[in-house]
Amino acid sequence: AGIITNKTLTPSVLPGAIKNQFNVTGEAPTYPVRAWVDFSAQGGASINSSGNISSVIRNSNGDYTLNFLKAMPSDNYALFGMCSETLASAADPLIVTLRTTNGKPTLKTSLAVRISVKSPYTGNPSDTPFVFIGVVC
């Protein structure tokens, strides 16, 4: 795989040509990541690197709001994420989830999304050294 440089897509580019721009093969469609972030959740929320994320706000232990630099086209996007275990115990894995209240997203708009990092066993929230989030739509 090579590095793509100085490639410009125009409205007249065919979908197959777009795949060629990104060295993608196969028949499955390509869906670009619209935003991503790598942040540390210890001692606040510190962004290590990101794309289209203006800030990460720590609301409380294990509770974060991600603000987009440029708005998503709609509120109908998908999130994916992962995180490291707690520093105290590698035996207590953590998961990243969409923060919900009564089964509905607490905040999921074209401008921001609220996530939780917590133990799948106890439900306890946790600040962890590494959180990685991607947004696709």
Side-chain angles (χ1 to χ4, degrees):
I3 297 174
I4 298 173
T5 58
N6 299 325
K7 299 266 182 166
T8 306
L9 299 177
T10 62
S12 63
V13 173
L14 299 173
I18 292 172
K19 286 184 179 183
N20 290 337
Q21 296 279 328
F22 296 104
N23 295 324
V24 176
T25 60
E27 296 300 315
T30 303
Y31 298 98
V33 174
R34 296 285 187 126
W36 62 273
V37 65
D38 163 4
F39 72 96
S40 173
Q42 293 196 313
S46 174
I47 295 176
N48 298 315
S49 57
S50 67
N52 197 29
I53 299 287
S54 62
S55 64
V56 176
I57 298 168
R58 181 183 182 272
N59 303 304
S60 63
N61 190 30
D63 177 4
Y64 313 96
T65 298
L66 283 57
N67 295 296
F68 303 123
L69 186 62
K70 299 283 185 176
M72 295 296 117
S74 74
D75 298 351
N76 298 320
Y77 50 83
L79 293 171
F80 58 91
M82 60 183 279
C83 61
S84 61
E85 69 275 353
T86 64
L87 286 179
S89 171
D92 187 16
L94 297 173
I95 58 172
V96 176
T97 63
L98 181 64
R99 185 142 177 105
T100 58
T101 302
N102 298 324
K104 296 183 180 182
T106 304
L107 172 66
K108 185 176 181 253
T109 68
S110 63
L111 298 173
V113 64
R114 195 164 172 183
I115 63 166
S116 292
V117 175
K118 60 187 174 181
S119 166
Y121 305 123
T122 65
N124 293 335
S126 182
D127 289 338
T128 183
F130 304 103
V131 180
F132 311 101
I133 303 294
V135 179
V136 179
C137 57

